[in-house]
Amino acid sequence: MKKIVAICFISLSVMLLSCAKEYSDENSTQGNDQIVGVDCRISKIVYTDTATLTGLGSIAANINSQDDVTNIMQYDSVGRIIEFIANPFITNDTVHLNANEYFLVDFNKRIIRFHGLSDPTDPLSPQYDASYFYNATGYLTSKLYAYTAAPGVPYKKVIYTYNNSNLVQMTSTNLITGDVTSNASMEYYTNIIPRRYIYIFPDEIVNAYYNQFYNFGEKSYNAIKKITVREYDPGNVLRDSTVSNFSTYIMSRDNYVFSVQMSGDDQPCIPALAGKLSFSYKCK
């Protein structure tokens, strides 16, 4: 009788371990049995130090039943302080980010223009406008910047280049001097096709808080593998570069990204520190 009980106990243990592995196989990109939903988008990113498993921070958006963002907050878990907070609100075609800055949207709520301050902390700093241009398939292909006081004299242009529906290159040029100020190259996993994953716009630094929570057109088809960003001094002299690698994708059964390991450098365009990035979603 004892032998039978022991055998049953071993069999049950094996079954439990097998079930647990389906939900924690962190060396696999295969989905587990969890379902996120039919029409969902990222509402929160939590970043954790992979060596110590210490929570570093998070950025989260409150999204209402009309699919509008009503609050964005970035929290530093180490310092236990709020690093950034905004309470956007919408009137007609305008998303008011604060008293001085706003997005304009089209009928699909896609961003077509940004009005901002050169120094967001100084209301008296020069104002500028960035116009967003999309191709026929809905991908953001370029942005043109001009000071509000001189709308016909653009001073910066950003060009995005795509291959197989993936953003593979970015080039930012100072139109006054003709110098390239920064460029970037991106690589992707061809075997991972995530649903409504993150935007990668390497030039977006000041507005990185908003990047993942608003509509900037179609997202890259495959999962990001590597980002290399280069910054230049006048005369196209390389000043600095940042390189980030992405690995160990954990997917839901319906192909949303639960988590990914981001190693190497932080990328200012992604509002999170390097480490394990974990994603939460808001579904309609």
Side-chain angles (χ1 to χ4, degrees):
M1 183 64 181
K2 290 182 178 179
K3 183 179 293 186
I4 294 175
V5 172
I7 292 173
C8 290
F9 179 78
I10 292 171
S11 299
L12 179 60
S13 299
V14 170
M15 289 175 63
L16 290 173
L17 287 172
S18 298
C19 290
K21 188 176 181 181
E22 291 182 16
Y23 290 88
S24 62
D25 185 2
E26 301 216 352
N27 293 316
S28 172
T29 58
Q30 299 300 314
N32 60 32
D33 285 340
Q34 296 186 33
I35 301 295
V36 173
V38 176
D39 189 359
C40 309
R41 65 187 181 104
I42 293 171
S43 61
K44 186 176 185 179
I45 306 173
V46 175
Y47 32 104
T48 306
D49 184 272
T50 53
T52 64
L53 302 182
T54 301
L56 299 175
S58 65
I59 184 166
N62 289 328
I63 303 171
N64 65 20
S65 58
Q66 285 75 48
D67 200 37
D68 295 327
V69 175
T70 59
N71 173 268
I72 299 173
M73 184 175 73
Q74 187 166 39
Y75 183 72
D76 178 352
S77 298
V78 178
R80 297 184 179 182
I81 59 172
I82 295 174
E83 293 185 308
F84 172 83
I85 190 167
N87 296 292
F89 66 93
I90 297 176
T91 58
N92 299 319
D93 63 349
T94 305
V95 180
H96 301 273
L97 304 176
N98 52 55
N100 301 293
E101 299 180 307
Y102 58 82
F103 286 124
L104 292 182
V105 300
D106 63 14
F107 62 93
N108 289 319
K109 294 186 178 181
R110 187 173 62 179
I111 302 299
I112 57 175
R113 182 179 163 195
F114 173 71
H115 177 82
L117 299 170
S118 298
D119 180 357
T121 65
D122 181 4
L124 299 180
S125 64
Q127 301 176 29
Y128 71 93
D129 295 280
S131 299
Y132 296 67
F133 301 93
Y134 300 85
N135 63 17
T137 54
Y139 288 91
L140 179 61
T141 56
S142 64
K143 291 186 296 195
L144 198 62
Y145 292 75
Y147 288 111
T148 306
V153 186
Y155 65 87
K156 183 173 75 170
K157 185 173 186 178
V158 177
I159 296 177
Y160 300 110
T161 304
Y162 295 82
N163 184 37
N164 294 325
S165 299
N166 291 317
L167 177 62
V168 295
Q169 187 173 358
M170 178 281 299
T171 303
S172 177
T173 304
N174 182 323
L175 296 179
I176 306 301
T177 65
D179 291 329
V180 172
T181 56
S182 66
N183 61 25
S185 56
M186 280 69 71
E187 301 175 20
Y188 296 83
Y189 290 98
T190 58
N191 63 324
I192 307 177
I193 305 172
R195 295 177 66 178
R196 305 196 73 174
Y197 190 36
I198 56 176
Y199 283 114
I200 303 293
F201 298 127
D203 61 297
E204 282 288 2
I205 297 175
V206 175
N207 291 328
Y209 305 110
Y210 307 109
N211 279 0
Q212 307 308 324
F213 307 125
Y214 287 95
N215 183 352
F216 296 94
E218 296 293 327
K219 297 183 175 182
S220 291
Y221 183 72
N222 294 108
I224 188 69
K225 181 179 183 180
K226 183 178 181 180
I227 305 173
T228 303
V229 182
R230 308 166 196 86
E231 303 288 341
Y232 296 88
D233 286 329
N236 296 334
V237 177
L238 181 64
R239 178 179 75 249
D240 192 18
S241 64
T242 57
V243 181
S244 303
N245 294 283
F246 297 77
S247 62
T248 319
Y249 273 90
I250 305 299
M251 312 290 291
S252 73
R253 197 172 184 83
D254 49 351
N255 292 323
Y256 290 91
V257 176
F258 279 146
S259 66
V260 65
Q261 304 284 353
M262 175 180 167
S263 60
D265 298 313
D266 298 333
Q267 288 293 341
C269 69
I270 300 176
L273 301 178
K276 180 181 180 181
L277 309 186
S278 301
F279 300 90
S280 299
Y281 295 85
K282 172 69 166 59
C283 301
K284 290 184 179 179

